[in-house]
Structures are given as C-alpha cells and as structure tokens.
C-alpha cells in the first residue's frame, strides 16, 4: 500500500463498491465499537472504585474464586452503568448494512448486547453477554438489577451465579468460535472495527481472512497489528465512518 493514501472520500466510495460486489462479508467488532455509546473500552483506564484494578485481573475465574462478591460487584457496576446507555448510529448502520448486503456475518468481542439492540439479528458473541448470568451447570438466566445477594444463587439449581461471559484463561464456546473462524476463512471482505487486535483467539480472525485472500478494512482511530494487512484504513470513530459507509452502499445500490 502506498504511504500517502488517496483522500478518505474516494476510499469510502471504493469500499462501498467492494462491499456491494462481495459474495460474503465478515465484520468483527471490539470495545471501540461501543465507545461512542459511553462504554469505556477495555484499554481505557477504569474510574472510581475500580480505578486501581485492571479488567484483565478481574475478568478471570481465579479472581471470581478468590472473591466472588468483589467480581460480582464489578459486573454489577458495569451492568448498571450499561443499563443507562444505548447503541449509537454506528451500531444501527451495521444492522442496516446486514440488510442491504449479500451475506454479512457479524462477530463481536463485546458483551454489551448493543448490536442486537440496534437491530442486528445474527451476532456471534465470542465473549458472551453481560446481560445474562449462568451457573457452573450451564443454566442461563437474564441479569436482574437490584438483587441483594452477591452473587445470587441459580434459580434452577441453587449453584453460584456468574456473568455469562468468557473470562481470560477460559475457552470460548466451541460452536461460536468455529462459526467465527469459518466466516473469517470464507469471506471476500473482512471489516475490523474498534479492536486493538490483542485478545486471542479473536485477534487472529483478521489474519485468517487475509491468508484466505480476503480484502481487509479497518475502522479505528489508532493503528493495530491488522493495519498493515488492511487495504482500507479509516482512522476515525466507528460512529462517524459507518453511517457514511452505509449511505454510499445504499446510494450505489439504487444507482
Ligand atoms: C482462550 C469478556 C484458550 C469479559 C473478554 C495466559 C493464560 C491463559 C490465556 C492466555 C494467556 N496469555 C494469553 C492468553 C490468551 C488470552 C489473551 O488473549 N490474553 C491477552 C490479554 C493477551 N485469551 C483468553 O484467555 C481467551 N481464551 O484463549 O482460551 C485457553 C484456555 C485456557 C488457557 C489458555 C488458553 C479468552 C479471552 C476473552 C476474555 N474476555 N471479555 C468481560 O468483558 O468482562 S475480553 C475483553 O477484551 C473484551 O471482550 C474486549 O472486547 C476484548 C478485546 O479488547 P478490544 O475489544 O480490542 O478492546 P480494547 O480496549 O483493547 O481496544 C479498543 C480499540 O477501539 C482500540 O484499538 C481503540 O483505538 C479503538 N477505539 C476507541 N474508540 C473507538 C475505537 N474504534 C472505533 N471507534 C471508536 N470510537
């Protein structure tokens, strides 16, 4: 790729054309996708009570085993804050892109459920969903605010509840991961949005797509390990780029 890339406008229009002609598109989002909704990214420093903790140190089975109440409280803090936030125009644009393009698979590392709230139907949640709980037996139940127990007991079996997310050191759901790897290996265009491309195995999906010959695009104000493999890089926020990309896809479609 040339260092001095052409202006952004033609590149957006060009990517819109490539997306419209693509047999299949895979989109993979990370915490930056929800930043404009007010959800701090994983690499943002935490504030308040949790400022002295690193998420990577709290989102582990060891932390939960050592102090279930403290880890539960951290999730209650995140879930309560999330309850007052909403998907932004970028989430909605992605949901509409899924409607107007051939075959779009949406993969997310995020646990906030914002893609579904914005209208995306099929979402591969690699790291689970913070709006659900589960117990060691795998019984799942929706999160309810204001429950006194820290953590509460599973309504089905009485076991200890934990958030239905994948912690560091835990394996991802095998079927979800298999579907995500397949979508990366078989797509003709792979779009990476709002991820530092550090956490595995999600971080490898873009490389799998590139190795299989897909065209890569990246939406992230910062560069990432995937930037060098990306034909299209937009160093701007998702909430700005995605609605503009959608407009160009829709305009070209009606031409
Ligand atoms: C696994 C759920 C097999 C929880 C998350 C040692 C022991 C065990 C494992 C490992 C080990 N060393 C390495 C590993 C593997 C480990 C890993 O990758 N660690 C990292 C730290 C190196 N992975 C795992 O453990 C995974 N499991 O490998 O299983 C196994 C099993 C046992 C033993 C060995 C192997 C499980 C990983 C899942 C962890 N759970 N979340 C919760 O949320 O509480 S991950 C967490 O990080 C979030 O889901 C988050 O989404 C994800 C990744 O981060 P990003 O999404 O990329 O977010 P980040 O903040 O980093 O970046 C944001 C980006 O957005 C930035 O680039 C920024 O520039 C950009 N941005 C900002 N604003 C915007 C924007 N972009 C666009 N628009 C904007 N407005």
């Amino acid at each position: 790729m040339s260092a001095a890339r052409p202006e952004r406008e033609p590149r957006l229009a060009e990517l819109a054309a490539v997306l419209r002609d693509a047999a299949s598109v895979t989109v993979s989002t990370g915490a930056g996708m929800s930043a404009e909704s007010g959800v701090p990214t994983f690499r943002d420093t935490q504030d308040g009570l949790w400022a002295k903790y690193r998420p990577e140190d709290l989102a582990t089975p060891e932390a939960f085993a050592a102090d279930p109440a403290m880890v539960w409280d951290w999730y209650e803090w995140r879930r309560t804050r999330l309850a007052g936030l909403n998907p932004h125009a970028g989430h909605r644009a992605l949901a509409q892109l899924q409607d107007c393009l051939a075959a779009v698979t949406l993969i997310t590392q995020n646990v906030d459920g914002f893609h579904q709230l914005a209208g995306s139907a099929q979402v591969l949640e690699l790291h689970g969903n913070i709006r659900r709980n589960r117990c060691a037996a795998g019984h799942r139940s929706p999160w309810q605010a204001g429950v006194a127990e820290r953590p509460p007991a599973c309504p089905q079996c009485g076991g200890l509840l934990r958030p239905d997310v994948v912690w560091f050191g835990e394996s991802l759901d095998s079927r979800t991961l298999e579907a995500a790897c397949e979508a990366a290996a078989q797509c003709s265009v792979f779009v990476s949005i709002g991820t530092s491309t550090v956490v595995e195995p999600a971080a490898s999906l873009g490389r799998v797509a590139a190795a299989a010959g897909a065209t890569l695009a990246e939406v992230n104000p910062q560069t990432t390990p995937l930037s060098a493999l990306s034909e299209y890089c937009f160093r701007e926020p998702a909430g700005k780029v995605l609605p503009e990309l959608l407009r160009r896809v829709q305009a070209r479609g009606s031409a």
Side-chain angles (χ1 to χ4, degrees), residues 30-32 35-36 41-43 59 74-75 78 109-111 127 165-172 194-200 219-222 237-238:
E36 289 147 278
T41 69
F42 239 68
R43 300 296 173 276
W74 179 53
Y75 280 91
R78 288 172 62 189
Q109 298 173 74
N110 298 342
V111 296
H127 299 157
V165 298
V166 180
W167 280 331
F168 289 99
E170 290 185 322
S171 298
L172 280 64
T195 176
S196 59
T197 319
V198 165
V199 173
E200 293 294 356
V219 179
N220 190 327
Q222 307 291 327

Side-chain angles (χ1 to χ4, degrees), residues 105-241:
T105 302
L106 178 54
I107 303 165
T108 189
Q109 298 173 74
N110 298 342
V111 296
D112 54 34
F114 275 176
H115 285 304
Q116 295 91 321
L117 288 177
S120 286
Q122 306 289 333
V123 183
L124 292 173
E125 293 181 309
L126 293 179
H127 299 157
N129 189 311
I130 203 171
R131 298 172 189 271
R132 287 192 307 264
N133 291 316
R134 68 175 151 91
C135 69
H139 300 135
R140 283 174 166 79
S141 50
W143 169 67
Q144 289 171 338
V147 173
E149 296 84 2
R150 303 159 55 231
C154 169
Q156 294 188 56
C157 69
L160 211 52
L161 281 184
R162 52 165 283 179
D164 188 16
V165 298
V166 180
W167 280 331
F168 289 99
E170 290 185 322
S171 298
L172 280 64
D173 173 75
S174 54
R175 281 175 304 176
T176 305
L177 181 57
E178 192 181 325
C181 292
E182 199 173 309
Q186 293 178 359
C187 66
S188 29
V189 184
F190 184 92
V191 187
S192 176
I193 304 168
T195 176
S196 59
T197 319
V198 165
V199 173
E200 293 294 356
S204 295
L205 293 174
R207 287 188 285 273
V208 166
T215 299
L216 266 58
E218 181 178 63
V219 179
N220 190 327
Q222 307 291 327
T223 57
T224 76
L226 213 54
S227 303
L229 296 176
S230 299
E231 174 59 31
Y232 300 93
C233 289
F234 299 98
R235 293 284 168 251
E236 292 175 285
K240 180 170 170 37
V241 172

